[in-house]
Amino acid sequence: MKKILIVGAGGQIGTELKTYLRERYGEANVIAADLQANPSDQYSIQLDAMDASALSLIVNKHKIDTIYNLVALLSARGEQDPALAWKINMGALLNALEVARQYGCQVFTPSSIGAFGPDAPKENTPQDTIMHPTTVYGICKVTGELMSNYYYQRFGVDARSVRFPGIISNASLPGGGTTDYAVEVFYSAVKGEKFICPIPADRRMDMMYMPDALDALHDLMTADSDRLVHRNGYNVTAMSFSPEILFAKIKERIPTFEYEYAVDPIKDSISSGWPDSLDDNCARIEWDWNPKWGLDAMVDDMISVLRKKLL
Ligand code: SER
């Protein structure tokens, strides 16, 4: 049986990954760590991911063999404070890789579509191509992929990662990301509030519904190591849409839904450098990646879950 540590367990992915992994491995085998412990969860602990010795103590004490490092300062927030973004994104990863080296753990860290910059091909962006990110978040993600491969080759640390697109979810909101609009719009639409969109109407980006993102994490981490040619930075996607495409789908279901555009220059600049659609064939070939949720099913489910939650 695995003994798992989720670092950043209170975030958008961590909140749902905790439940997903506990269903598979048991409550006591999934320790949830974040800056604040959750008093209603007996397997939740307080951890500052920047504190290498605290991380090491936890891994030792709980006999952890798998670390999901989900700590991140996202793309738009990162542009407000690049030094802090580097410190947090790289600091948490390095601490996870070092403790994994010491205790023989497997490590997952999300990379992102943000790893690509404007020089990369926009359509069907290949797995292996020019990257040249122009945001500090993207620079951290490319460096993270390289460091993860370095720790694997140099020290045998089984570090794995995928390049996630925007993740759409209904349990915990993202914060500070460029793709956040695709989550926030559902909250506004369901509550009957007008949505102000910070992204240009025709700007396409890759997206994925949370259930597929959780499967991606778990499927990669449990994949046969011998099949993994890349190991880090797998392109994964489930759909690609622009605000105007998404809003039309929401309006079909909520005809009173209203929105307008007030484009945020930073989010405009960040998203203009990202792919329109990724080619995720390597993930399909090397570990059987196969997303289940398309745009219409995702929109139906988001509205139905949020209606129950918010109304
Ligand atoms: N969702 C992230 C962001 O928008 C991309 O990985 O920053």
Side-chain angles (χ1 to χ4, degrees):
M1 187 46 93
K2 283 196 171 305
K3 201 78 194 239
I4 297 168
L5 175 67
I6 304 176
V7 185
Q12 187 198 12
I13 299 177
T15 305
E16 297 196 46
L17 182 65
K18 182 177 88 171
T19 310
Y20 180 99
L21 292 174
R22 283 182 177 171
E23 280 164 12
R24 285 158 179 81
Y25 299 102
E27 291 271 313
N29 290 319
V30 182
I31 309 292
D34 213 317
L35 277 173
Q36 309 285 337
N38 175 352
S40 59
D41 175 354
Q42 64 167 311
Y43 301 109
S44 150
I45 48 177
Q46 192 280 335
L47 171 69
D48 176 353
M50 299 294 103
D51 185 342
S53 41
L55 176 64
S56 180
L57 282 173
I58 288 167
V59 167
N60 185 21
K61 178 175 167 201
H62 295 275
K63 306 274 171 283
I64 297 296
D65 56 40
T66 307
I67 301 170
Y68 285 85
N69 164 41
L70 304 179
V71 175
L73 209 103
L74 295 183
S75 57
R77 176 75 184 89
E79 290 311 290
Q80 290 166 357
D81 195 340
L84 182 69
W86 176 267
K87 191 170 153 203
I88 292 178
N89 293 339
M90 298 317 299
L93 173 61
L94 263 188
N95 287 346
L97 290 172
E98 271 298 308
V99 82
R101 170 158 91 104
Q102 199 182 346
Y103 292 98
C105 306
Q106 195 189 23
V107 183
F108 179 89
T109 302
S111 184
S112 162
I113 49 170
F116 293 106
D119 295 345
K122 282 246 171 280
E123 289 291 340
N124 284 321
T125 310
Q127 174 68 41
D128 300 308
T129 187
I130 199 159
M131 310 286 292
H132 292 178
T134 51
T135 63
V136 67
Y137 177 72
I139 292 167
C140 291
K141 290 303 181 190
V142 171
T143 314
E145 292 178 14
L146 294 171
M147 283 303 275
S148 298
N149 274 330
Y150 174 80
Y151 269 72
Y152 175 65
Q153 277 150 12
R154 177 93 204 268
F155 305 118
V157 173
D158 186 3
R160 305 183 182 192
S161 55
V162 297
R163 293 178 188 139
F164 271 135
I167 296 177
I168 297 160
S169 65
N170 46 50
S172 182
L173 280 161
T178 304
T179 57
D180 294 5
Y181 90 89
V183 182
E184 289 161 356
V185 64
F186 284 100
Y187 284 75
S188 298
V190 167
K191 286 193 275 187
E193 293 166 1
K194 184 177 194 174
F195 182 66
I196 312 294
C197 182
I199 304 292
D202 60 352
R203 178 69 41 77
R204 278 173 56 217
M205 286 183 269
D206 287 282
M207 300 279 173
M208 183 182 294
Y209 199 28
M210 184 62 93
D212 278 332
L214 298 175
D215 282 344
L217 284 152
H218 187 246
D219 290 354
L220 174 60
M221 287 296 269
T222 52
D224 180 355
S225 185
D226 294 341
R227 288 180 64 198
L228 302 181
V229 178
H230 290 83
R231 193 168 298 267
N232 282 287
Y234 285 99
N235 286 1
V236 285
T237 186
M239 56 192 104
S240 164
F241 58 72
S242 60
E244 65 193 352
I245 293 172
L246 177 63
F247 299 171
K249 294 287 180 188
I250 295 175
K251 223 168 160 50
E252 276 170 21
R253 290 145 174 100
I254 307 177
T256 53
F257 168 53
E258 281 188 83
Y259 56 89
E260 68 180 45
Y261 293 91
V263 171
D264 173 318
I266 292 186
K267 292 185 177 180
D268 180 18
S269 153
I270 293 172
S271 58
S272 71
W274 287 359
D276 290 356
S277 68
L278 294 180
D279 174 350
D280 61 5
N281 256 307
C282 286
R284 291 172 186 270
I285 292 164
E286 293 177 32
W287 48 276
D288 306 320
W289 162 242
N290 185 19
K292 298 175 187 68
W293 289 81
L295 178 57
D296 279 296
M298 178 276 286
V299 172
D300 282 337
D301 200 58
M302 280 295 286
I303 292 173
S304 138
V305 172
L306 287 180
R307 275 191 172 137
K308 283 182 210 129
K309 186 171 156 176
L310 302 175
L311 302 182

